[in-house]
Amino acid sequence: MLTFQAFEQVESIILWGLTATVVMTTIMLGSQGLGFSRLSLPFLVGTFFTGNRRWANIVGVGVYLIGGWFFTFFYYLIFIGVGQPTVWLGTATGLLHGLFLLVVLLPLLPQFHPRMATEYDGPTEHQRLEPPGFLGLNFGFRTPLVTLLGHVVFGAILGAAL
Amino acid sequence: MQSSQKYPVHDPHTAFQSPHDRYPPISDYALIGDCRTAALVSSRGSIDWLCLPHFSSPSIFAALLDNQRGGRFAIFPAAPFKVQRRYRKHTNVLETTFTTDQGVVRLTDSLSIPNEQAQNVLHPQREVLRIVECLQGKVDTQVIFEPRPDYGRTRPRLIQRGALGWACEMGSEVLILHSDFTLACSDEDTASGVTTLSAGERRYLSLTYARHDIGIITPLGRYADRRCDYTTQWWRNWCKHNTYQGPYHDAVERSALTLKMLTYGLSGALVAAPTTSLPSVIGGVRNWDYRFCWLRDAALTSSAFLELGFNSESDAFLAWLLHSTRLTWPRLQVLYDVYGEMHLSEEQLDHFQGYRESRPVRIGNKASGQRQLDVYGEVIAAAYDFVCHGGRLASDEKRLLRGFGKVVCSDWRLTDQGIWEDRDAGHHHTHSKLMCWVAMDRLIRMHKQQHIKVPVERFARERDLIRQSIESKGFSHTHGTYVNRYEGDSVDASLLLMCQYNYRQAHDPRLLATFERIERELGNNGFLYRFPEGFDDFLPPGEGAFVICSFWAVEYLARLGKRAQAIERFEHILSCANDVGLLAEEVDPKTGGARGNFPQAFSHVGLINAALTLNQVDTACSQTIQKAE
């Protein structure tokens, strides 16, 4: 039933999913460019696929946008499951998403990222990326803040628009 | 060779406190670079100067300018040692061999050149790679890692990240030291340790840097050896473009390699020197920041590269010129940063002691706001050399050069600060007028050779007017010589360039008399000062002889046909290069000691041009003899 509703909303999900992902990516990459954090999620995603820096950035942004749509669909299912989508529900979902990324996913990343070094084994010929550490703090002390901000805005846009 | 004697481990804060170690002579340093930035390495294995990510960025290590606050990255035996250094042949990879009573270790230093062909491998933005190999016996080897970012204004915190090594965060930048040496943090900001190395053992230190990006940590062992080998091969491949076969080949090649290190590979700009505030006189105030691209120096270097067969460097320089001067076009600023940034304010670092108490330590350069008319001539002459060597000008480059020509037509009558960058209101400098003449002359030649279209009649008229002006006001009938300023009384060494640019032939009586006067008034022990003592450049007197001016005299002597004298003079100047062939901006004429920023592009350009001129004279002589036979 939920999935059926989601299909009915597919145009809205595609449009607002893209918008929210673009805004989140802009916040994250803008923060990187302004020196608030060295974290680049698209680059981390792109290096799953290639070790070529230029292509990693291009592929990473593409995959990240597609991932944004996937998460939009997921958010929508949460909104429908909990009740009506609202800004506050979207914000709370985004916050939870951001926290999960910072607390669980980023610290685990060295264990499954093919090009990331670990603090236990050190770098190898192909595993050379600096690991993010807990809350992504290795990439700067403001990293948790900008990551949460990006995800909260992502959630808030979806909560308001869907 | 083995000994049971134990030497005390040096406290990282006091290891460099002996009078020699606090501030070694300027010539004690060798340079390593990756065409992005460069580091000065002392004979004691200490990197005392490194700016990241590029030449004019704030320093990470600056013990060169403040032994206590500047920071360093040192590797050296704990026991007393003797040192031998050399660059690997045809490269900028430095090998320092320390010999102690217990054994011998070799330190190989390089700034890694990334292998772009290696697929699926992430390269760091910058990497300082240091490989330590014990060749004989057992040697206690000490490492001191003391980063002091932002000219020592930031006290960093070193964090150990397990097998990844030590990280030093500086806002949006990170330095990561990955090593198989055992290091411990003595304070929060210094890591050090001593490791005993046995014969055949190799250890590695890889210092990587990232800005606004996720750091890349490079593996050690055979992977580090491969990176070092690739860097070695990269430099050797570059050297293969060198077509020079004349005398002093090794010195010319070393100069070319040094100039290449001072080229910013990402833009084609060339910095005058990799350092700031190394003094012209110890304890003096003539301490300037040379980590920028002076168009004059870069244009002359571009021409020197062309003469040696390195055409792509000249091509890159013209491309950079086109890009960087877009905002000021058709006018040229004196200097820009490596990305073409024009606003280079000057600042003093009052917290720095300065090299042997030579204060102030300056960053940035006020000369960026000066008018120096000679720059147009040097840039246009570089373009002329480019087309003479088979280069083709793009349409926007032609437009650029035409615009410069028009500026010369309108501005050559104005005063300027001249080649020596007077810090007063300005004068009519004869050298500046000469270079305006060169600008007109070369544009007309390029027009005649159909490389460019210019208003040739107007340019020819202006060229002739400039010549008349030089001959009437830049020549003193009282002395029978050219003078450095219109209707002035003094000479300076830049007048020797009249011969180089074919304004007058070497045997011309006016030039001959000028040369003799320059020799008499500016010469000292085979070197030349750039201008007379007490010359009113509004700074306290006292500076060394200028290396490039001394080479100009060699060129003049060679053109004059005094070959033996020219060779003797050339070798005398060459003897002031340090053990690895590097030259400073100036030398002390009595001791031959290096002074000023180091190594200096201008000095190495002078060396190359002098060697080329000697070679041309030799070739011309042998052709004459063959014809006679």
Side-chain angles (χ1 to χ4, degrees):
Chain A
M1 184 62 184
L2 287 173
T3 315
F4 179 72
Q5 282 183 349
F7 275 115
E8 280 189 327
Q9 288 270 339
V10 73
E11 281 181 14
S12 187
I13 287 172
I14 288 174
L15 175 67
W16 290 107
L18 179 66
T19 307
T21 309
V22 166
V23 172
M24 177 172 69
T25 311
T26 306
I27 290 172
M28 300 283 288
L29 294 185
S31 303
Q32 188 194 8
L34 292 170
F36 294 133
S37 168
R38 291 186 293 109
L39 172 64
S40 166
L41 285 173
F43 180 66
L44 280 184
V45 171
T47 47
F48 267 97
F49 302 97
T50 174
N52 179 303
R53 185 178 284 274
R54 193 200 302 176
W55 280 110
N57 278 311
I58 294 167
V59 171
V61 169
V63 173
Y64 199 69
L65 288 175
I66 293 166
W69 273 321
F70 171 78
F71 273 102
T72 307
F73 182 76
F74 193 67
Y75 271 52
Y76 181 76
L77 294 182
I78 292 172
F79 294 159
I80 300 298
V82 173
Q84 276 298 313
T86 64
V87 172
W88 292 111
L89 182 57
T91 302
T93 311
L95 186 67
L96 196 67
H97 181 186
L99 279 172
F100 179 76
L101 181 75
L102 288 166
V103 177
V104 180
L105 213 56
L106 287 182
L108 266 181
L109 203 56
Q111 309 307 322
F112 59 88
H113 194 297
R115 289 188 175 78
M116 188 166 283
T118 73
E119 292 197 8
Y120 300 103
D121 302 320
T124 67
E125 187 179 11
H126 292 289
Q127 292 175 303
R128 297 174 165 208
L129 278 172
E130 177 190 11
F134 181 64
L135 298 177
L137 283 168
N138 284 359
F139 299 152
F141 71 93
R142 295 191 193 94
T143 302
L145 295 176
V146 297
T147 308
L148 285 178
L149 177 68
H151 285 80
V152 161
V153 171
F154 177 81
I157 290 171
L158 293 181
L162 290 180
Chain B
M1 275 303 243
Q2 290 183 22
S3 159
S4 59
Q5 187 183 356
K6 280 279 171 193
Y7 286 91
V9 174
H10 298 284
D11 178 338
H13 299 299
T14 57
F16 289 85
Q17 288 306 306
S18 76
H20 175 276
D21 293 334
R22 287 188 71 213
Y23 293 105
I26 291 170
S27 58
D28 189 62
Y29 287 98
L31 189 74
I32 53 171
D34 61 356
C35 305
R36 309 279 191 277
T37 189
L40 287 186
V41 189
S42 77
S43 67
R44 205 174 163 175
S46 177
I47 294 181
D48 285 352
W49 182 250
L50 173 64
C51 298
L52 288 169
H54 57 75
F55 297 103
S56 46
S57 304
S59 64
I60 300 291
F61 306 117
L64 180 70
L65 297 177
D66 193 307
N67 180 271
Q68 290 296 307
R69 292 199 183 103
R72 60 164 47 83
F73 181 17
I75 304 167
F76 56 96
F81 54 82
K82 288 180 182 163
V83 182
Q84 275 190 316
R85 288 193 303 189
R86 60 166 195 175
Y87 283 110
R88 282 187 183 171
K89 210 160 174 54
H90 314 303
T91 77
N92 282 316
V93 176
L94 180 70
E95 291 183 341
T96 308
T97 305
F98 301 102
T99 305
T100 71
D101 289 344
Q102 286 72 48
V104 180
V105 282
R106 182 172 61 206
L107 170 64
T108 305
D109 283 317
S110 61
L111 271 156
S112 300
I113 308 275
N115 180 0
E116 304 292 352
Q117 306 301 318
Q119 294 294 313
N120 275 333
V121 174
L122 290 160
H123 302 290
Q125 287 179 4
R126 307 284 180 272
E127 182 191 22
V128 178
L129 180 60
R130 316 194 78 182
I131 302 174
V132 188
E133 184 180 11
C134 185
L135 303 176
Q136 274 179 42
K138 278 191 174 183
V139 180
D140 290 342
T141 306
Q142 180 156 6
V143 175
I144 298 174
F145 176 60
E146 193 183 65
R148 296 289 180 271
D150 191 22
Y151 303 109
R153 290 184 286 208
T154 305
R155 201 84 177 176
R157 198 160 69 92
L158 289 176
I159 301 163
Q160 207 195 354
R161 291 194 186 159
L164 301 177
W166 295 85
C168 169
E169 293 230 25
M170 314 162 289
S172 60
E173 301 164 281
V174 68
L175 278 174
I176 301 174
L177 176 64
H178 181 220
S179 173
D180 47 11
F181 277 90
T182 307
L183 302 177
C185 231
S186 51
D187 293 315
E188 278 195 336
D189 55 14
T190 303
S192 63
V194 176
T195 303
T196 304
L197 301 182
S198 304
E201 202 175 343
R202 283 166 87 90
R203 297 288 178 105
Y204 304 84
L205 295 110
S206 163
L207 179 65
T208 56
Y209 168 85
R211 180 167 181 258
H212 291 192
D213 207 352
I214 295 169
I216 303 292
I217 307 130
T218 47
L220 307 176
R222 65 179 189 276
Y223 303 109
D225 287 331
R226 265 189 227 162
R227 292 199 299 281
C228 187
D229 291 345
Y230 179 80
T231 302
T232 302
Q233 200 51 49
W234 189 90
W235 285 112
R236 287 184 177 154
N237 288 341
W238 185 80
C239 270
K240 284 178 187 164
H241 296 284
N242 185 359
T243 53
Y244 180 71
Q245 297 297 333
Y248 308 105
H249 181 271
D250 288 353
V252 169
E253 184 184 272
R254 177 52 48 206
S255 291
L257 278 162
T258 306
L259 292 175
K260 180 63 179 170
M261 263 199 288
L262 299 179
T263 306
Y264 188 64
L266 299 180
S267 67
L270 183 125
V271 298
T275 56
T276 177
S277 300
L278 287 179
S280 292
V281 58
I282 301 301
V285 298
R286 292 173 189 267
N287 318 321
W288 314 112
D289 190 351
Y290 280 6
R291 298 172 298 155
F292 303 105
C293 182
W294 266 258
L295 292 185
R296 175 188 306 116
D297 301 34
L300 291 172
T301 305
S302 167
S303 297
F305 272 139
L306 276 171
E307 294 293 335
L308 299 178
F310 298 107
N311 293 13
S312 60
E313 278 65 24
S314 185
D315 213 354
F317 169 67
L318 281 179
W320 173 82
L321 186 71
L322 186 70
H323 163 79
S324 62
T325 58
R326 197 157 280 165
L327 289 176
T328 55
W329 186 87
R331 289 178 196 282
L332 289 173
Q333 197 169 281
V334 178
L335 66 145
Y336 299 81
D337 86 348
V338 291
Y339 287 115
E341 173 59 50
M342 307 177 302
H343 305 292
L344 307 172
S345 57
E346 193 172 283
E347 187 188 335
Q348 296 185 4
L349 298 179
D350 294 331
H351 63 289
F352 264 2
Q353 191 177 41
Y355 177 82
R356 296 188 181 179
E357 308 272 345
S358 304
R359 288 191 184 119
V361 172
R362 293 183 175 94
I363 53 171
N365 202 302
K366 224 188 254 178
S368 59
Q370 291 189 353
R371 178 164 57 222
Q372 296 177 17
L373 292 170
D374 63 299
V375 170
Y376 294 93
E378 278 122 7
V379 166
I380 291 169
Y384 176 69
D385 288 343
F386 178 68
V387 297
C388 286
H389 283 81
R392 294 188 63 149
L393 296 171
S395 58
D396 42 7
E397 287 167 342
K398 290 177 190 174
R399 191 175 67 94
L400 188 80
L401 294 171
R402 239 185 333 264
F404 295 158
K406 287 175 185 168
V407 171
V408 172
C409 288
S410 65
D411 284 8
W412 72 265
R413 294 170 184 82
L414 302 177
T415 59
D416 73 341
Q417 271 79 22
I419 184 174
W420 307 128
E421 304 185 337
D422 305 345
R423 293 206 159 197
D424 62 358
H427 301 271
H428 289 284
H429 292 95
T430 307
H431 170 262
S432 299
K433 310 299 181 196
L434 165 75
M435 295 314 297
C436 289
W437 177 88
V438 169
M440 295 289 97
D441 181 69
R442 300 309 189 260
L443 282 170
I444 292 166
R445 287 187 199 204
M446 281 193 273
H447 177 91
K448 286 180 180 167
Q449 293 166 16
Q450 298 182 333
H451 293 296
I452 189 171
K453 278 193 175 165
V454 294
V456 71
E457 282 174 17
R458 181 186 173 202
F459 282 11
R461 194 170 57 245
E462 294 294 339
R463 179 192 61 187
D464 297 341
L465 284 172
I466 297 169
R467 192 176 186 111
Q468 280 172 25
S469 159
I470 292 172
E471 294 303 316
S472 59
K473 294 177 186 166
F475 184 80
S476 162
H477 289 282
T478 315
H479 294 281
T481 68
Y482 289 102
V483 283
N484 62 341
R485 288 175 182 172
Y486 274 9
E487 290 162 356
D489 201 33
S490 306
V491 286
D492 75 28
S494 65
L495 297 170
L496 292 178
L497 293 172
M498 287 183 163
C499 177
Q500 269 192 36
Y501 285 108
N502 289 322
Y503 175 83
R504 281 200 180 275
Q505 296 303 303
H507 288 93
D508 182 279
R510 284 190 166 196
L511 206 47
L512 207 51
T514 306
F515 174 70
E516 282 164 6
R517 187 173 170 207
I518 286 172
E519 281 280 88
R520 205 168 49 246
E521 294 183 11
L522 305 182
N524 187 344
N525 190 27
F527 298 98
L528 283 187
Y529 291 102
R530 54 179 173 160
F531 44 61
E533 183 83 26
F535 181 73
D536 55 342
D537 70 341
F538 294 87
L539 288 169
E543 62 170 27
F546 248 59
V547 174
I548 192 167
C549 299
S550 309
F551 280 125
W552 289 342
V554 172
E555 282 195 70
Y556 185 82
L557 285 167
R559 288 174 204 273
L560 209 53
K562 296 185 174 180
R563 188 176 171 279
Q565 216 177 322
I567 286 175
E568 188 188 350
R569 185 78 73 92
F570 184 85
E571 290 179 355
H572 180 59
I573 304 165
L574 207 55
S575 69
C576 293
N578 73 357
D579 57 329
V580 287
L582 303 183
L583 286 162
E585 181 187 26
E586 300 171 24
V587 291
D588 182 328
K590 287 183 187 134
T591 63
R595 287 178 174 193
N597 283 310
F598 181 85
Q600 174 85 354
F602 225 22
S603 301
H604 285 281
V605 168
L607 187 154
I608 291 171
N609 286 338
L612 286 165
T613 305
L614 283 169
N615 189 39
Q616 280 166 10
V617 170
D618 283 355
T619 312
C621 278
S622 56
Q623 281 171 351
T624 312
I625 292 164
Q626 276 174 3
K627 274 183 190 169
E629 284 171 353

